[in-house]
Amino acid sequence: MAPQDPHFASRVRESFGRQKAMALIGAALGMVEPGRVEVALPWRDDLTQQKGFIHGGIIGMIADTACGYAAFSLMPADCSLVTVEYKINILAPARGSLVARGEVIRPGRTLTVTRGEVYSEDGKHIASMQQTLMMLPGTPDTPE
Amino acid sequence: MAPQDPHFASRVRESFGRQKAMALIGAALGMVEPGRVEVALPWRDDLTQQKGFIHGGIIGMIADTACGYAAFSLMPADCSLVTVEYKINILAPARGSLVARGEVIRPGRTLTVTRGEVYSEDGKHIASMQQTLMMLPGTPDTPE
Amino acid sequence: MAPQDPHFASRVRESFGRQKAMALIGAALGMVEPGRVEVALPWRDDLTQQKGFIHGGIIGMIADTACGYAAFSLMPADCSLVTVEYKINILAPARGSLVARGEVIRPGRTLTVTRGEVYSEDGKHIASMQQTLMMLPGTPDTPE
Amino acid sequence: MAPQDPHFASRVRESFGRQKAMALIGAALGMVEPGRVEVALPWRDDLTQQKGFIHGGIIGMIADTACGYAAFSLMPADCSLVTVEYKINILAPARGSLVARGEVIRPGRTLTVTRGEVYSEDGKHIASMQQTLMMLPGTPDTPE
């Protein structure tokens, strides 16, 4: 898991900072290592579904983002990444703050495969994701 | 696709109304039919990722919700539903308002399988989902 | 869904004919149309799991193959395809002969997304698949 | 990961022995531990697809089976299990003998979630699976 860009961490942090959807839900970037990224989500009542648990789609959002940046950390500086698909199992209802950990399991030139886990602050395993991403070489990671 | 509860539509609308996460992103319930539900998402700049497209996790949120309520519409009045898992392919980058259409493909006593499609207002096919839900009989669909 | 190769049907049939795994399980190619392919699987006792139903992995095999050739039918003559990933829900236990129907839902230059359905001869819906494939341009679809 | 049935290993081995589809492809059960099961697949030319690699559906079959028995190893003696769904990423083309390793990541009363990895004999990572199973209590794991 060797990063191709020595400035991978700042590149990941700047890209995350442009994700307005992460600001909307109050998510914050945690650890950024080559092929491994964490996203933290403090508890907020407005993230819940009809029974008062964190919405499954919100859980998917932070796992998707952690996994995507885990892949992005290994990419060259002049590319952008798109999520091809992801699959998530919700293992337990979530109340309280969450952390999503994304990890690359197969880095590739075109496609990268990642896995993500979501845990609650009391250590409960909330969700597991498996995700596929595609690199777009020579494409800016910013709005056109 | 016969609903077990004649008041399925109002039950779906009340449940959706308790989803604070849907209010947060500005999503609204559209059509509610037995086994088929739509969720509309007007464009907002704060739903985007780093390149200015709608965040893939937001697309997953509305598809997950549309599919979940498609399943919920067929359920008895005294149950609640949990999402077991979902898988989504992002087919195209999304800008502009979206609509997610969920549909039951196999209703079951315990497990229900659904599919969802997300389209942009100009008719572009944005995403496809396949989802599994589990019914919890005799469980209120409200916070404990 | 316009085929790029006018000889797509014979190209699909020749490729299927090289799949020794299909011969092993007794599967046969049915309809081949642009973006839509069927694979038939006559009942055989040696395809079963411990309870006497068709093995879920066998169901996955024919759905994967039908979906893959649905994608292949739209590709140029000088490429090969690889399955990136697939997800399958087993909807009902299967006894008797099966047919798998694959269909392209989003053809793409690099990635193609398909869906597949498996039915039993009495019309029961057995399984639903969603699959992603990647085209390898200028690569022979034969052993090296 | 405590087994509920002290005779879990022999129960798994007997059930696997009834899977005629495993005999057909020449797969053999390897390690059986609580929540972890291996299935070995010696190379055979008749397991291949059109390019001479092991068919992706065959890879899915052994991963599905290893994961299913990982779950079954933790179940009570008088139940049977059904695969609800699985998702598999094919990470690399496979030639040579394979081993699939299934592992329970979330055991449950009704639903169990597992993961599986497939490796080739030279240590290459071939595939990754995430799977959901449902327990049917008081149901024999044999043909009716």
Side-chain angles (χ1 to χ4, degrees), chain B residues 95-124:
Chain B
R95 229 188 286 264
S97 299
L98 301 179
V99 62
R101 294 185 184 131
E103 188 169 5
V104 172
I105 57 172
R106 203 257 178 193
R109 237 179 341 178
T110 305
L111 297 179
T112 290
V113 179
T114 66
R115 276 197 178 139
E117 311 299 341
V118 180
Y119 294 93
S120 61
E121 57 195 332
D122 55 0
K124 203 164 53 160

Side-chain angles (χ1 to χ4, degrees), chain D residues 119 135 140:
Chain D
Y119 294 93
M135 188 178 75

Side-chain angles (χ1 to χ4, degrees), chain A residues 69-93:
Chain A
Y69 282 118
F72 195 57
S73 71
L74 301 179
M75 297 286 139
D78 64 343
C79 80
S80 72
L81 262 189
V82 292
T83 297
V84 173
E85 58 86 37
Y86 57 89
K87 179 254 201 292
I88 186 167
N89 278 76
I90 308 292
L91 305 175

Side-chain angles (χ1 to χ4, degrees), chain B residues 85-92 105-106 113 115-117 125 128-132, chain C residues 85-92 105-106 113 115-117 125 128-132:
Chain B
E85 58 86 38
Y86 59 87
K87 179 257 201 291
I88 185 168
N89 278 75
I90 308 291
L91 305 175
I105 57 172
R106 203 257 178 193
V113 179
R115 276 197 178 139
E117 311 299 341
H125 195 176
S128 288
M129 176 174 282
Q130 194 165 310
Q131 184 205 46
T132 311
Chain C
E85 58 86 37
Y86 58 87
K87 178 257 202 291
I88 185 167
N89 278 74
I90 308 292
L91 305 174
I105 57 172
R106 201 256 178 198
V113 180
R115 273 193 180 144
E117 311 299 340
H125 196 176
S128 287
M129 175 174 282
Q130 193 165 310
Q131 184 204 46
T132 311

Side-chain angles (χ1 to χ4, degrees), chain A residues 49-128:
Chain A
Q49 36 83 291
Q50 76 283 1
K51 298 183 70 168
F53 299 112
I54 302 283
H55 195 287
I58 297 276
I59 297 169
M61 272 184 81
I62 59 170
D64 173 40
T65 302
C67 288
Y69 282 118
F72 195 57
S73 71
L74 301 179
M75 297 286 139
D78 64 343
C79 80
S80 72
L81 262 189
V82 292
T83 297
V84 173
E85 58 86 37
Y86 57 89
K87 179 254 201 292
I88 186 167
N89 278 76
I90 308 292
L91 305 175
R95 229 187 285 264
S97 298
L98 301 178
V99 62
R101 294 187 183 128
E103 188 168 6
V104 172
I105 59 173
R106 203 256 177 193
R109 236 181 340 179
T110 304
L111 297 179
T112 290
V113 179
T114 66
R115 275 197 179 138
E117 311 298 342
V118 180
Y119 294 94
S120 61
E121 56 196 334
D122 56 0
K124 202 163 56 159
H125 196 176
I126 298 298
S128 287

